[in-house]
């Protein structure tokens, strides 16, 4: 008898759906309760899977949350390629501002911060998140250097663009409107001496003033 053929597995099928459901469950629970206030069993129940499936795939809650944070980071903030450092930084900053103000952005940021207090596993998860963010930035900066531009360091981008936006969102200190985001990029470019070309309202140098005659000083003597 001819051997029964097994149907070919579709890439990104059931396994991908389970992963997406578990990730969303973690994100929702962080938003509702904060990190550390739920268990793997509650994640499993929310995602509709067995908790043994989570343990088998991720091992620990910290490893799972690290995967959630890094997956969110790599899928929501693609590296732009506009042809110039100025354009890349503005597009990247605008994407980050959109992502962190989205439905899951604040929960993921809180998750990364909470991981810092979750022991060695949590610290490794936080460091992995920051390493991935730095890796993404370095691709953009290396490409600018190859074009002959003078890019800042990745740490400068973190300090002057990403950190202020993260702080604003985490502490509710203000909106990430386009003017504010562009101002952060302007400030970074001014520090590195890189001229900005992506804004039509870029600061222009003051025009030289035409000297005006002084009535008392220039009046001819009689």
């Amino acid at each position: 008898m001819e051997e029964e053929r097994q149907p070919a597995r579709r890439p990104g099928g059931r396994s991908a759906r389970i992963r997406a459901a578990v990730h969303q469950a973690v994100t929702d629970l962080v938003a509702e309760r904060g990190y550390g206030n739920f268990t793997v069993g509650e994640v499993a129940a929310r995602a509709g899977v067995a908790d043994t499936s989570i343990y088998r795939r991720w091992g620990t809650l910290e490893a799972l949350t690290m995967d959630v944070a890094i997956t969110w980071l790599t899928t929501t903030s693609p590296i732009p390629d506009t042809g110039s450092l100025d354009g890349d930084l503005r597009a990247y900053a605008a994407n980050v501002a959109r992502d962190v103000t989205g439905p899951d952005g604040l929960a993921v940021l809180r998750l990364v911060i909470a991981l810092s207090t979750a022991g060695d596993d949590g610290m490794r998860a936080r460091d992995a998140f920051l390493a991935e963010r730095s890796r993404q930035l370095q691709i953009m900066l290396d490409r600018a250097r190859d074009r002959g531009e003078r890019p800042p360091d990745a740490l400068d981008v973190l300090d002057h663009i990403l950190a202020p936006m993260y702080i604003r969102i985490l502490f509710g200190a203000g909106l990430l409107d386009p003017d504010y985001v562009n101002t952060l990029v302007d400030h970074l470019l001014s520090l590195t001496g890189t001229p900005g070309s992506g804004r039509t309202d870029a600061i222009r140098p003051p025009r030289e003033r035409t000297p005006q005659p002084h009535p008392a000083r220039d009046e001819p003597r009689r």
Side-chain angles (χ1 to χ4, degrees):
M1 186 172 65
E2 184 177 344
E3 183 178 352
E4 183 179 357
R5 294 182 180 180
Q6 296 294 328
R9 292 186 178 182
R10 293 177 301 169
R14 182 173 180 274
S15 179
R17 289 195 298 271
I18 290 175
R19 184 169 183 255
V22 171
H23 279 208
Q24 191 61 52
V26 171
T27 303
D28 291 344
L29 286 167
V30 170
E32 294 170 12
R33 307 181 191 178
Y35 181 75
N37 297 317
F38 55 88
T39 65
V40 168
E42 289 173 308
V43 172
R46 180 74 64 98
V49 301
D51 55 359
T52 53
S53 298
I54 294 179
Y55 283 117
R56 184 168 55 250
R57 181 163 186 168
W58 286 281
T60 66
L61 184 59
E62 288 78 18
L64 169 58
T65 52
M66 177 183 69
D67 189 36
V68 171
I70 291 180
T71 300
W72 177 84
L73 180 67
T74 54
T75 57
T76 60
S77 297
I79 299 299
D81 187 3
T82 66
S84 72
L85 175 63
D86 179 88
D88 286 352
L89 284 174
R90 295 188 194 283
Y92 185 72
N95 289 341
V96 172
R98 179 203 63 212
D99 296 337
V100 298
T101 55
D104 297 333
L106 180 58
V108 173
L109 287 181
R110 287 175 173 167
L111 175 60
V112 173
I113 292 176
L115 286 171
S116 301
T117 62
D120 291 342
D121 287 341
M123 291 289 285
R124 282 192 289 271
R126 183 209 61 181
D127 291 346
F129 178 89
L130 294 176
E132 177 59 27
R133 179 64 92 182
S134 297
R135 185 193 68 80
Q136 291 183 355
L137 290 173
Q138 198 60 54
I139 292 173
M140 178 173 61
L141 301 177
D142 287 344
R143 192 165 54 216
R145 188 173 290 106
D146 291 341
R147 289 193 299 259
E149 297 180 276
R150 186 171 56 185
D153 293 333
L155 187 58
D156 289 331
V157 180
L158 289 170
D159 286 344
H160 297 286
I161 295 181
L162 300 182
M165 289 198 286
Y166 290 169
I167 292 297
R168 274 206 171 198
I169 290 300
L170 287 168
F171 292 97
L175 299 176
L176 299 183
D177 58 83
D179 285 341
Y180 173 74
V181 174
N182 271 316
T183 298
L184 295 178
V185 178
D186 288 338
H187 181 61
L188 176 61
L189 292 176
S190 70
L191 291 177
T192 59
T194 303
S197 60
R199 298 181 66 186
T200 57
D201 59 341
I203 299 175
R204 297 179 176 85
R207 293 180 300 176
E208 294 185 3
R209 298 179 60 187
T210 303
Q212 298 296 320
H214 191 283
R217 185 184 62 197
D218 298 286
E219 184 178 358
R221 295 182 180 179
R222 294 181 180 176

